[in-house]
Amino acid sequence: MSCGKEFVETLKKISYPKADTLNGEDFDWLFETVEDESFLKWFCGNVNEQNVLSGEELEAFSILQKSGKPILEGAALDEVLKTCKTSDLKTSTPDDKELEKLEIELQTLQKLKNLKIQRRNKCQLMASVTSHKYLRLNSKEEAATKSLKQSQGILNSMNTKINNELQALTDGVAKLMTFFRHSNLDQGTNPLVFFSQFSLEKYLSQEEQSTAALTLYTKKQFFPGIHEVVESSNEENFQLLDIQAPSICDNQEILEERRLEMARLQLAYVCAQHELIHLKASNSNMKSSIQWAEENLHSLTSKAPGKDNLDAKISNLNSEILKLEEQICHIKDKSLPAVVKENAQLLNMPVVKGDFDLQIAKQDYYTARQELVLNQLIKQKASFELLQLSYEIELRKHWDIYRQLENLVQELSQSDTMLHQRLEMLTDPSVSQQINPRNTIDTRDFSTHRLYQLLEGENKKKELFITHGNLEEVAEKLKKDISLVQDQLAVSTQERSFFLSKLNNDVDMLCDTLYQGGNQLLLSDQELTEQFHQVESQLNKLNHHLTDILADVKTKRKILASNKLHLMERELYVYFLKDEDYLKDIVENLENQSKIKAVGLKD
């Protein structure tokens, strides 16, 4: 808090009029030095409402001033106050002695009262302790009887459970032994469980019959010459049918008829193409001659040509006609017959296609039969491999069971030997016929030692001898740890439930504030936003006032730095609040200086 604010707060405490209208920051410049701060601390710490005169006291003082009576001040007032204090002390001496005696008696009575109260509290505490012990012993007795009954019930249930498990184990072992015995197949007393117990005669006979039937089917479907027939349908034999070439067909008459028919078709095709070409040539000749005649007639009607031009044109046309006739003869004698012959040979394509389709159908038929036989062989092989795999799996299982039974036999033999050792130890007369039983546990009592190790846990400090007392202590410690852990768990569950309930309440409150009883989420509250706007407006006003105050302070400091008269007034005001005596001395010095100056001016 700033110095000005502390000054204003003290003024408010002493109920100074118009103290609420004052601003503490306006008085900060009065307490900038260390002396000013010390004065402020003294003023704020010592001045209170008792130092303020009431209205009646002020009226009485004003009446006293008006009466003209002398008023004591300064040293005279201090002397009068001292004399008043000494007279008060003298008059009150006998009363003080009586008061001291009464105080001593009061203290002794108070001490007696405190002692009696302490004794009463001790008695009440002892009574409560004894009652608590009695209740605790009763609760312990009830808990002990209850735990004894529970332990007896648990032991009985465990005994019955162990007996039932042993009986079930013996029954299971008996059933298992029936599985591994050699069964009498004729009587059918024992059921067959494993694959190795079944006979494979029927399966093998069925497989032999299926293989024999498959061989007969293959002999019927695949005759000896099928290989050559299938191989004849390769890519090299996919060619156009030549009429003059020999064929693999055995019927020569059908082959001769097919050749003659193909020859007639080719000859008819050649003649038809020859006539067609002649007709097309004559037609094109007629069209070209008509076109040429029309062009010449048009030229003759438009312009009469000369004789020399006609002779030149006739000679050119004759030469062109000769060239065309040579080209026509070349085409007619050489290129046209070859083309027509090739086109005639293309008439063999449907026949060749039919042959190829027949060969493809035969090949598809034989491949389908091969796939059928192949699928049957794959099925036989898969069944055989499945049977073999099942035998291998069963063999591995038998080996695993054999190893487990061997381990079980070893463990049972070890437990049997340990049981014989315990029985021997218990039948030992040195152990059973002890008049004074030992407190220490025998080193041959392995079960007790293991129990102690389990209860003790990881303890680096190993004792040389283990006593029954140590075993009881470890058991009690374990019991205490268990109860402590249970209490901690109960406390943690309570804290968790409390935290969850609190969290649920907070979530409900948050939902209520966010939704406000509706289904639509409200991200802002109207009241809060209005309050925030008010706070922001107040902050803006405060910042504006602060800037104004800072600007005012800066201007005042500039005025003080520039005007020495204002600076002197401020110092006098400070002296008035800080040290009145020093102010009086300064004023007296100034008055004396002014008087001296006035006397000098008069002279």
Side-chain angles (χ1 to χ4, degrees):
M1 186 182 288
S2 62
C3 298
K5 289 182 179 179
E6 290 181 0
F7 181 68
V8 172
E9 289 293 330
T10 51
L11 292 176
K12 289 179 181 179
K13 285 180 183 177
I14 62 176
S15 65
Y16 180 76
K18 297 182 181 179
D20 296 330
T21 59
L22 297 175
N23 192 0
E25 293 180 356
D26 295 335
F27 297 94
D28 288 337
W29 61 277
L30 295 174
F31 307 103
E32 291 179 352
T33 62
V34 179
E35 295 176 355
D36 298 334
E37 287 182 358
S38 62
F39 168 72
L40 178 67
K41 289 180 181 177
W42 173 83
F43 180 78
C44 295
N46 295 321
V47 176
N48 51 18
E49 294 178 354
Q50 295 178 359
N51 300 116
V52 180
L53 296 174
S54 62
E56 296 176 355
E57 290 174 350
L58 289 172
E59 289 178 358
F61 183 72
S62 62
I63 291 165
L64 183 63
Q65 283 181 346
K66 290 177 181 179
S67 64
K69 294 179 181 180
I71 297 170
L72 297 175
E73 291 181 356
L77 182 62
D78 293 334
E79 290 177 359
V80 172
L81 290 172
K82 287 179 182 178
T83 55
C84 292
K85 287 180 180 178
T86 53
S87 64
D88 292 333
L89 290 171
K90 288 178 182 179
T91 55
S92 62
T93 50
D95 295 332
D96 291 338
K97 289 179 180 179
E98 292 178 359
L99 288 171
E100 287 178 357
K101 289 180 181 180
L102 292 171
E103 285 179 355
I104 290 166
E105 290 179 358
L106 181 64
Q107 288 177 0
T108 53
L109 292 172
Q110 191 72 30
K111 286 180 182 179
L112 289 172
K113 182 182 178 182
N114 292 329
L115 287 172
K116 288 181 180 180
I117 289 167
Q118 287 178 0
R119 288 176 182 175
R120 185 195 65 186
N121 292 331
K122 284 182 180 179
C123 292
Q124 288 179 356
L125 182 64
M126 290 173 69
S128 63
V129 168
T130 52
S131 63
H132 182 67
K133 284 182 179 179
Y134 179 72
L135 293 172
R136 189 173 63 185
L137 290 172
N138 286 329
S139 63
K140 282 185 178 180
E141 185 179 2
E142 291 176 358
T145 54
K146 190 183 290 184
S147 63
L148 181 62
K149 289 179 181 179
Q150 288 179 358
S151 61
Q152 286 179 355
I154 290 166
L155 290 172
N156 291 326
S157 63
M158 287 176 68
N159 191 10
T160 54
K161 187 177 180 180
I162 290 167
N163 291 328
N164 293 326
E165 288 180 354
L166 288 172
Q167 187 65 34
L169 183 63
T170 53
D171 295 337
V173 170
K175 287 181 181 180
L176 186 64
M177 292 303 293
T178 55
F179 292 154
F180 287 99
R181 287 172 185 168
H182 294 289
S183 61
N184 191 0
L185 297 174
D186 295 333
Q187 295 177 0
T189 56
N190 295 323
L192 300 177
V193 177
F194 303 108
F195 278 109
S196 59
Q197 295 177 350
F198 289 95
S199 63
L200 299 176
E201 293 179 358
K202 293 182 180 180
Y203 172 74
L204 294 173
S205 63
Q206 288 178 0
E207 290 294 323
E208 288 177 356
Q209 290 175 4
S210 64
T211 50
L214 191 61
T215 53
L216 290 172
Y217 180 76
T218 51
K219 286 179 180 179
K220 288 179 181 179
Q221 293 294 328
F222 304 107
F223 50 88
I226 188 65
H227 183 67
E228 289 80 4
V229 173
V230 173
E231 284 185 350
S232 64
S233 62
N234 53 9
E235 292 181 357
E236 294 178 356
N237 292 324
F238 288 142
Q239 297 175 359
L240 295 173
L241 182 62
D242 192 2
I243 297 171
Q244 297 178 358
S247 178
I248 60 171
C249 186
D250 296 332
N251 196 348
Q252 294 295 328
E253 293 179 356
I254 295 169
L255 180 60
E256 192 66 28
E257 289 179 358
R258 191 178 294 175
R259 283 180 180 177
L260 291 172
E261 186 67 28
M262 291 300 295
R264 285 196 295 273
L265 287 171
Q266 288 180 3
L267 184 59
Y269 179 75
V270 169
C271 293
Q273 289 293 323
H274 186 69
E275 291 293 332
L276 180 63
I277 289 165
H278 277 291
L279 290 172
K280 284 182 178 180
S282 61
N283 190 9
S284 61
N285 190 6
M286 290 292 292
K287 286 181 179 179
S288 60
S289 61
I290 290 165
Q291 186 178 2
W292 181 79
E294 288 177 355
E295 289 176 357
N296 288 326
L297 287 172
H298 181 69
S299 61
L300 288 172
T301 54
S302 61
K303 185 179 179 181
K307 187 178 181 181
D308 296 330
N309 292 327
L310 288 172
D311 293 333
K313 284 183 179 181
I314 289 166
S315 62
N316 289 326
L317 289 172
N318 289 325
S319 62
E320 288 177 1
I321 288 166
L322 291 173
K323 290 179 182 180
L324 290 171
E325 286 178 354
E326 288 177 359
Q327 291 177 0
I328 291 165
C329 290
H330 183 269
I331 291 167
K332 184 178 178 181
D333 295 334
K334 293 182 179 180
S335 60
L336 186 61
V339 171
V340 172
K341 189 175 181 181
E342 288 178 0
N343 291 327
Q345 288 179 357
L346 291 174
L347 294 172
N348 300 332
M349 287 299 294
V351 179
V352 174
K353 185 177 180 296
D355 291 334
F356 288 163
D357 292 337
L358 181 61
Q359 291 177 6
I360 289 166
K362 289 180 180 178
Q363 194 171 6
D364 291 336
Y365 175 76
Y366 292 123
T367 52
R369 293 295 178 271
Q370 286 178 357
E371 287 178 357
L372 182 63
V373 174
L374 185 62
N375 290 327
Q376 190 66 27
L377 292 172
I378 289 168
K379 286 180 182 178
Q380 288 182 356
K381 186 178 179 182
S383 63
F384 179 74
E385 289 180 352
L386 180 62
L387 185 63
Q388 186 180 2
L389 183 62
S390 62
Y391 273 113
E392 289 178 357
I393 292 167
E394 188 176 355
L395 181 62
R396 289 184 181 179
K397 287 183 179 179
H398 285 321
W399 275 111
D400 293 335
I401 293 167
Y402 177 71
R403 293 190 192 93
Q404 291 176 3
L405 289 172
E406 282 187 348
N407 294 326
L408 183 62
V409 168
Q410 291 178 0
E411 290 178 358
L412 289 172
S413 62
Q414 290 177 1
S415 63
D416 191 11
T417 54
M418 290 176 68
L419 182 61
H420 283 297
Q421 289 177 3
R422 287 183 185 177
L423 291 173
E424 289 175 359
M425 186 180 69
L426 292 172
T427 55
D428 190 3
S430 62
V431 177
S432 60
Q433 297 177 0
Q434 280 187 355
I435 298 168
N436 296 319
R438 295 189 304 173
N439 190 19
T440 59
I441 298 170
D442 193 1
T443 56
R444 291 176 291 177
D445 193 357
F446 299 108
S447 62
T448 310
H449 279 279
R450 284 199 296 273
L451 179 62
Y452 180 77
Q453 289 175 1
L454 290 170
L455 293 173
E456 187 182 16
E458 295 181 358
N459 191 4
K460 295 181 180 179
K461 185 178 178 181
K462 294 183 179 179
E463 296 181 358
L464 185 61
F465 297 103
I466 301 170
T467 61
H468 293 284
N470 293 330
L471 189 62
E472 289 178 357
E473 288 177 359
V474 175
E476 287 291 333
K477 186 180 178 182
L478 181 63
K479 188 177 179 182
K480 289 179 181 178
D481 294 336
I482 290 167
S483 63
L484 182 63
V485 170
Q486 288 177 355
D487 294 335
Q488 290 177 357
L489 286 172
V491 170
S492 65
T493 51
Q494 289 178 359
E495 289 178 354
R496 183 170 175 273
S497 62
F498 177 71
F499 178 73
L500 287 174
S501 63
K502 188 176 179 182
L503 184 63
N504 290 324
N505 293 326
D506 293 337
V507 169
D508 294 332
M509 290 174 66
L510 182 61
C511 290
D512 293 335
T513 54
L514 288 175
Y515 290 96
Q516 293 183 358
N519 295 322
Q520 190 176 2
L521 181 63
L522 299 175
L523 298 176
S524 63
D525 192 2
Q526 189 174 2
E527 295 179 357
L528 290 174
T529 51
E530 289 177 357
Q531 291 178 2
F532 279 128
H533 287 307
Q534 291 178 1
V535 170
E536 285 179 359
S537 63
Q538 291 177 0
L539 286 173
N540 292 325
K541 289 180 181 179
L542 183 62
N543 290 323
H544 184 66
H545 289 306
L546 286 172
T547 53
D548 293 338
I549 290 165
L550 290 173
D552 192 9
V553 170
K554 286 180 181 179
T555 53
K556 287 180 179 180
R557 285 180 179 176
K558 287 180 181 179
I559 291 166
L560 291 172
S562 61
N563 195 348
K564 292 183 179 180
L565 183 60
H566 289 290
L567 182 61
M568 189 179 290
E569 288 179 358
R570 178 183 177 279
E571 289 177 355
L572 291 173
Y573 188 67
V574 170
Y575 293 147
F576 176 74
L577 294 172
K578 182 177 179 183
D579 193 358
E580 293 181 358
D581 296 331
Y582 185 65
L583 182 62
K584 287 179 180 179
D585 294 334
I586 290 170
V587 172
E588 288 176 356
N589 290 326
L590 291 172
E591 287 178 353
N592 292 325
Q593 288 177 6
S594 62
K595 287 179 181 179
I596 292 165
K597 286 181 180 181
V599 171
L601 289 170
K602 287 179 181 180
D603 295 334

